[in-house]
Amino acid sequence: MVSQFGVFTSFQANVDAGGNNILGDCANEPSIAVNPTDGNKMMIAWRQFNSINSDFRQSGWGYTTDAGIHWTFPGVLQDNIFRSDPVTKSDEAGNFFYLSLQSTQAQSFFCDDVWRSTNGGQTFTEQSPDEAGHGGDKEWFTIDTTGGTGHGFLYQFWTGFFACDFGEFNRSTDSGATWQSPINIPNNPDTGAMDVDTNGNLFLAGGGSPFWCVRSSNAQDPNVTPTFDQVTNVNLGGNLIQGGINGIGLCGQTFIAVDRSGTGTNNNIYVLASVEPFSANNGTDVMFARSTDGGLTFSAPHRINDDPVNPNKWHIFGTLSVAPNGRIDAVWLDSRNAANNIDTQLFYSWSTDGGVTWAPNVAVSDSFNIQSGFPQNQKIGDYITIVSDNTGGNVAYAATYNVNPNAVNGHEQDVYYVRVFPSGGGTPTPTPTPTPTATATATPTVTPTATPTPTATPTATPTPRPTPTPRTAPTPRSHPTPLPRP
């Protein structure tokens, strides 16, 4: 399937050896990585269901060498192993990393492993024994590519309620071969992401409401157990929610990106999520906040989707990326044009002034029914992703363009690649961010959360683990913590 919409072209990634759709399977929750030394080379990871009639999913992926026009789908990381929640990154040399959650089909535990490809995504090699990464549900990771003392370090965090054994965060100093014992994070943020500034400081954002931005300035020191020395509340004007038009799935999670452009916006920190506004009980908006002081304070929340306020409309899976020149790209799935309020399109906006103003929104895909093709795991995933360069952004998203009479609503879920770029929207007049300098209350702390006997020496042997018992430490929220969703 190749779907043309204006100047934007979406190419299907989960295809057979002939480049054709595989009828009867399902692919969703895509994560994209791009080789920074050769933008023609990319890979996308996704949740692979070999049958729409099953809840069993595996770790699928595809790669391209011609800028996303043609994709090769080699298969899955491990045959007949239940895997989910794919997250991918590239290091500065173009090696691809794939973080994958492992469990039983009964979902009796949630552990994860890192895999690496040194040949452009053609093959992947597991870096450590199964489950040695510790981890847990809704895990995410990042790589320090800044060239400092933490260069090459892998950092990951996950939802502590459903941890593999204990904790919420750990680090690998050897590309995922070994991992330190997990530790806890102040205020237990979850369902989020991480990034590193030019000084090697690690920033982590997560939560539903409140949202938190947490800094570790010593995670880059291999001789110490990381601590978290700054904790800031971020106001995004609403809550993360589960359900809505996405079945049992999330409507979004928290994303963070750091500007490493070396320009006047260098080391700005940006946080974005699709949230249900505090004033509403339906629908979601894509909300953004920025910090210009190293995460100590954040701006008032700014609504990026520019359609008229309508609590019945959905703007889900909001995510962002910062280009090397400092441009911010944001994409999401949007129901603004749907009479049934279920069909969505991929939308795009960008900012060239550090998030103070944003370009008018641009639709970049055909409309599709987001509820079509549900396998027994009734959702279209929990997120989409984007990686930006100086002229545009590379997006991986799931859509239901392909017809399948045997699937829910007659269409099936597949993974697509599309390149977005500001010139596709003409010459927009940016819309100003209201009160961009307003700040949320910051709560710095120099005392890390007590950790269960952490050690600075990584361990490659996972501790035998019984079925985990959800922790009770996090403060209850107005919206209940979602059930596990690998």
Side-chain angles (χ1 to χ4, degrees):
M1 168 63 70
V2 176
S3 178
Q4 189 73 39
F5 186 85
V7 298
F8 302 102
T9 308
S10 294
F11 298 92
Q12 186 178 348
N14 62 313
V15 291
D16 65 16
N20 301 307
N21 177 53
I22 303 168
L23 189 67
D25 75 340
C26 173
N28 61 33
E29 204 160 274
S31 176
I32 190 169
V34 181
N35 184 336
T37 71
D38 184 351
N40 293 313
K41 298 178 179 178
M42 296 177 278
M43 63 87 54
I44 299 175
W46 60 76
R47 305 193 316 161
Q48 171 66 27
F49 299 77
N50 287 341
S51 170
I52 57 175
N53 298 316
S54 173
D55 185 43
F56 187 75
R57 82 296 307 251
Q58 300 177 83
S59 48
W61 89 91
Y63 68 90
T64 180
T65 59
D66 61 3
I69 297 175
H70 299 95
W71 290 85
T72 299
F73 172 19
V76 297
L77 294 180
Q78 290 176 311
D79 286 329
N80 299 314
I81 299 296
F82 187 100
R83 287 190 172 276
S84 195
D85 292 5
V87 187
T88 61
K89 302 287 179 182
S90 174
D91 65 15
E92 77 286 348
N95 298 308
F96 292 138
F97 290 77
Y98 189 145
L99 178 65
S100 175
L101 179 125
Q102 182 186 359
S103 186
T104 63
Q105 190 167 4
Q107 301 176 25
S108 61
F109 65 88
F110 302 98
C111 301
D112 58 52
D113 313 292
V114 167
W115 300 63
R116 182 174 65 171
S117 173
T118 59
N119 57 8
Q122 297 178 56
T123 59
F124 277 87
T125 301
E126 190 172 18
Q127 296 299 96
S128 64
D130 278 4
E131 307 169 27
H134 300 280
D137 191 23
K138 306 315 301 176
E139 87 292 353
W140 208 266
F141 87 114
T142 196
I143 306 171
D144 185 340
T145 59
T146 61
T149 58
H151 176 261
F153 289 7
L154 273 59
Y155 306 110
Q156 69 159 329
F157 88 115
W158 55 87
T159 301
F161 279 125
F162 304 103
C164 180
D165 36 31
F166 55 85
E168 301 158 325
F169 170 90
N170 67 355
R171 171 190 70 187
S172 173
T173 62
D174 54 13
S175 297
T178 59
W179 292 86
Q180 76 171 107
S181 295
I183 61 176
N184 289 331
I185 307 169
N187 296 319
N188 318 104
D190 58 18
T191 321
M194 293 178 289
D195 206 354
V196 179
D197 72 9
T198 59
N199 300 312
N201 297 309
L202 173 68
F203 290 89
L204 178 157
S209 182
F211 292 88
W212 300 101
C213 178
V214 182
R215 182 186 71 185
S216 175
S217 58
N218 70 351
Q220 60 188 305
D221 184 347
N223 299 312
V224 302
T225 297
T227 56
F228 300 97
D229 57 354
Q230 182 174 282
V231 181
T232 306
N233 176 224
V234 182
N235 177 15
L236 289 180
N239 300 293
L240 293 181
I241 63 170
Q242 182 177 1
I245 60 171
N246 190 30
I248 64 170
L250 297 177
C251 286
Q253 65 177 53
T254 315
F255 285 92
I256 185 171
V258 177
D259 184 316
R260 294 188 292 272
S261 64
T263 67
T265 55
N266 191 60
N267 283 336
N268 279 6
I269 302 167
Y270 308 121
V271 177
L272 178 147
S274 289
V275 304
E276 179 186 85
F278 291 131
S279 59
N281 58 8
N282 194 43
T284 50
D285 288 319
V286 181
M287 302 298 292
F288 168 88
R290 69 186 189 123
S291 173
T292 60
D293 56 10
L296 183 64
T297 60
F298 279 81
S299 70
H302 173 60
R303 182 177 181 261
I304 293 180
N305 53 287
D306 59 6
D307 52 326
V309 174
N310 183 342
N312 295 316
K313 290 298 180 180
W314 297 92
H315 314 83
I316 72 170
F317 292 178
T319 187
L320 83 165
S321 177
V322 181
N325 61 10
R327 188 194 69 254
I328 313 169
D329 293 322
V331 292
W332 64 94
L333 299 184
D334 195 308
S335 75
R336 71 177 69 180
N337 294 323
N340 63 5
N341 206 25
I342 295 174
D343 295 344
T344 65
Q345 294 171 275
L346 185 70
F347 265 73
Y348 169 52
S349 183
W350 66 93
S351 172
T352 57
D353 57 10
V356 176
T357 60
W358 287 82
N361 301 172
V362 177
V364 299
S365 84
D366 281 314
S367 177
F368 61 93
N369 185 326
I370 196 173
Q371 296 178 352
S372 293
F374 278 170
Q376 287 187 13
N377 184 253
Q378 295 183 1
K379 60 181 179 179
I380 198 168
D382 290 325
Y383 50 82
I384 61 176
T385 51
I386 179 173
V387 175
S388 299
D389 55 43
N390 283 339
T391 60
N394 302 290
V395 182
Y397 71 106
T400 61
Y401 303 129
N402 280 313
V403 173
N404 182 345
N406 296 319
V408 175
N409 294 321
H411 290 256
E412 63 181 32
Q413 296 180 13
D414 296 294
V415 167
Y416 292 86
Y417 164 81
V418 65
R419 181 163 176 84
V420 298
F421 41 91
S423 59
T427 306
T429 302
T431 56
T433 304
T435 60
T437 57
T439 56
T441 302
T443 310
T445 176
V446 295
T447 305
T449 300
T451 60
T453 60
T455 173
T457 303
T459 173
T461 303
T463 304
R465 45 187 66 89
T467 301
T469 300
R471 296 187 308 105
T472 58
T475 303
R477 307 176 191 158
S478 57
H479 285 252
T481 301
L483 297 173
R485 311 158 306 275

